[in-house]
Amino acid sequence: MSDDLKKEFWDRLDDTRAGMLMTKTARAIPMTHYIDEDDRAAVLWFITAKGTDLAQSAEGRAAAEYLIASKDESLWARIDGHVSAVTNPTELDKIWNAIAGAWFEDGKQDPDVQLIRFDLTEAEVWATDGGFKFLYEIGKAQMTGQKPDMGKHGTIRF
């Protein structure tokens, strides 16, 4: 199941735009992730400002946790790994967009732009059929006394 769950994780993560990223010294904050298409198996990217708690904690290799729930409720995950503050103009060019640009007066050339690399180590993943299926399974469980089928759940390693 691990390989199937890992594939579902990446496919569904591609349709999920944001989550809550935190380290031991940076509180959980909403962030948009960008999938590294060259290293799809183990890296996510984030863009933040240099003065943030996140950027400061990522100056060293900091343990981090990223929590996500897809809009359609088909993916829930707790992703563990390490964040690092990096300078990588090529990667920044690949992921830069209007949303990121709204935060920085001088666009991607703004001296306050900080790229964060998140190297994934493992993720606990729940892959479901979404909201309506959840309600159906709860109703069915109430009528039959059987446990509801909530989809796939497991831990994947990167």
Side-chain angles (χ1 to χ4, degrees):
M1 176 169 105
S2 182
D3 286 343
D4 288 344
L5 187 58
K6 190 181 275 191
K7 182 181 179 336
E8 273 191 67
F9 168 77
W10 285 110
D11 289 346
R12 294 180 187 200
L13 185 64
D14 211 14
D15 294 330
T16 304
R17 292 294 12 126
M20 299 291 285
L21 181 62
M22 70 194 92
T23 69
K24 287 186 180 188
T25 59
R27 70 190 189 292
I29 55 172
M31 295 291 291
T32 298
H33 61 265
Y34 302 93
I35 296 173
D36 187 328
E37 294 300 332
D38 296 331
D39 194 8
R40 190 175 177 97
V43 175
L44 295 176
W45 293 95
F46 299 90
I47 300 169
T48 192
K50 287 186 178 173
T52 63
D53 291 342
L54 177 60
Q56 290 174 358
S57 70
E59 286 177 5
R61 186 172 159 83
E65 187 173 71
Y66 187 49
L67 305 173
I68 60 165
S70 65
K71 183 178 177 180
D72 65 359
E73 300 176 346
S74 68
L75 177 67
W76 303 80
R78 178 196 43 78
I79 307 165
D80 296 322
H82 295 89
V83 290
S84 306
V86 298
T87 302
N88 185 330
T90 303
E91 191 62 40
L92 187 60
D93 282 344
K94 284 196 270 183
I95 66 175
W96 190 262
N97 58 53
I99 295 169
W103 295 98
F104 299 97
E105 189 174 308
D106 295 326
K108 65 184 167 188
Q109 283 75 35
D110 194 304
D112 202 31
V113 171
Q114 180 61 65
L115 192 58
I116 303 290
R117 178 185 168 110
F118 184 35
D119 291 291
L120 287 56
T121 55
E122 76 173 29
E124 185 172 10
V125 176
W126 294 262
T128 72
D129 290 327
F132 179 74
K133 173 75 172 175
F134 172 80
L135 294 175
Y136 168 78
E137 286 294 328
I138 295 299
K140 184 174 94 175
Q142 292 294 323
M143 293 176 64
T144 65
Q146 297 176 344
K147 295 224 182 254
D149 177 5
M150 294 290 100
K152 297 177 185 173
H153 171 243
T155 299
I156 55 179
R157 302 203 187 332
F158 301 96

